[in-house]
Amino acid sequence: MCDLNDKKEPQRQETQETFPDSPSDDEASLPDEAIIYTEEELQAMRDVRAKLTEEHGIEESRIGSIFLAVTTINCKLRVDETVKKIAKLLGIMAKLGCEDGIDDELWKPAAAHELKPYAPAGKDHNGCRTTWIRGGGKVSKEEERNHCHACIMQHLATHADAKTLRNGISFIIDVSGKDMEKEPKVGNETLIQSFYQAIPQRPQVILIAGTSRVTRAFVNASIKLASL
């Protein structure tokens, strides 16, 4: 991820799809998925960082540059909106054992087992990545921190190419095989749901798979809350 204080243009995010810098690099020859930030995007990121620090007292260590960049672009460079969403998310995560926030260590092996709700889904017909999540599962109190880390890992991985980052994802909620009424309560369901809704997403389409009358009403209510 680029240094937000570096004003050189264009800037490129180092992902699996990008190549190391070399004198022969040419912007036109970069792969389609490489992320090149514009100066407008970089300035918005700097403004978000400044407001988080000065107005909310959020240290740089609590919000990594990668997550900040993705959120800023998902919020269409609206600085105040981005700051509000990040502050809200960090507040919820603190209640789930993540007082240290979100850093730039993208792969967290200890949380990998909590990726199980996410199904491999590839890209949609527009060439953007798809998030397919198996709904209805519970998160134990002991796994709250790992679950948060897993969700953030998946979120950042899904937005790791330029097309998805700037155009949004397809979001599919799969509730087939889940009986939400019979699963015992853990006690953190409302807080976990608030965490999901606080992750700054920009889905171009939301689809629900495997619904019954009861689950359809539940999921539709969740989507309505998430869109507020």
Side-chain angles (χ1 to χ4, degrees):
M1 179 61 65
C2 61
D3 182 349
L4 301 187
N5 294 313
D6 187 349
K7 296 186 178 181
K8 293 181 181 179
E9 184 178 6
Q11 297 292 335
R12 186 175 58 173
Q13 176 175 326
E14 290 296 331
T15 66
Q16 288 182 330
E17 294 82 14
T18 63
F19 300 116
D21 290 331
S22 69
S24 60
D25 275 345
D26 187 317
E27 181 179 342
S29 68
L30 292 174
D32 292 340
E33 295 190 343
I35 297 174
I36 303 172
Y37 296 120
T38 66
E39 180 56 35
E40 182 183 11
E41 290 169 341
L42 287 169
Q43 186 57 53
M45 295 172 200
R46 296 184 196 107
D47 293 342
V48 168
R49 174 73 75 193
K51 278 182 172 285
L52 285 171
T53 303
E54 296 167 9
E55 298 181 10
H56 294 269
I58 296 174
E59 304 91 341
E60 187 170 341
S61 61
R62 291 187 61 211
I63 182 69
S65 294
I66 298 173
F67 188 86
L68 187 147
V70 170
T71 304
T72 302
I73 293 176
N74 266 353
C75 293
K76 301 181 180 179
L77 310 187
R78 298 179 183 124
V79 173
D80 289 340
E81 178 183 338
T82 305
V83 170
K84 181 179 178 181
K85 289 188 174 184
I86 290 176
K88 179 180 179 180
L89 177 62
L90 291 179
I92 294 171
M93 290 181 66
K95 298 176 183 178
L96 292 168
C98 297
E99 296 87 353
D100 48 345
I102 302 169
D103 58 28
D104 280 330
E105 185 181 342
L106 301 188
W107 175 244
K108 299 186 183 301
H113 62 282
E114 285 296 315
L115 289 168
K116 60 183 181 294
Y118 296 100
K123 298 181 179 180
D124 60 22
H125 66 285
N126 290 319
C128 296
R129 297 184 189 274
T130 299
T131 289
W132 186 302
I133 183 168
R134 304 179 184 97
K138 302 295 182 181
V139 179
S140 69
K141 295 279 189 178
E142 297 75 20
E143 293 293 348
E144 289 175 347
R145 178 179 172 86
N146 283 334
H147 189 74
C148 288
H149 285 167
C151 291
I152 297 299
M153 282 196 292
Q154 192 277 340
H155 173 69
L156 294 177
T158 303
H159 292 83
D161 67 278
K163 192 163 190 177
T164 303
L165 180 62
R166 293 191 172 91
N167 293 282
I169 63 171
S170 288
F171 193 80
I172 302 172
I173 304 171
D174 184 353
V175 295
S176 61
K178 298 290 183 182
D179 193 332
M180 296 181 185
E181 292 183 309
K182 293 183 179 180
E183 289 191 26
K185 296 283 186 180
V186 175
N188 60 3
E189 287 80 7
T190 300
L191 187 57
I192 292 292
Q193 190 64 33
S194 296
F195 166 68
Y196 294 151
Q197 293 167 1
I199 298 174
Q201 305 271 11
R202 191 172 61 174
Q204 297 304 300
V205 62
I206 300 176
L207 303 175
I208 308 171
T211 59
S212 65
R213 184 172 61 181
V214 173
T215 57
R216 184 162 54 249
F218 176 85
V219 175
N220 281 338
S222 297
I223 293 173
K224 184 176 181 180
L225 283 172
S227 65
L228 294 178

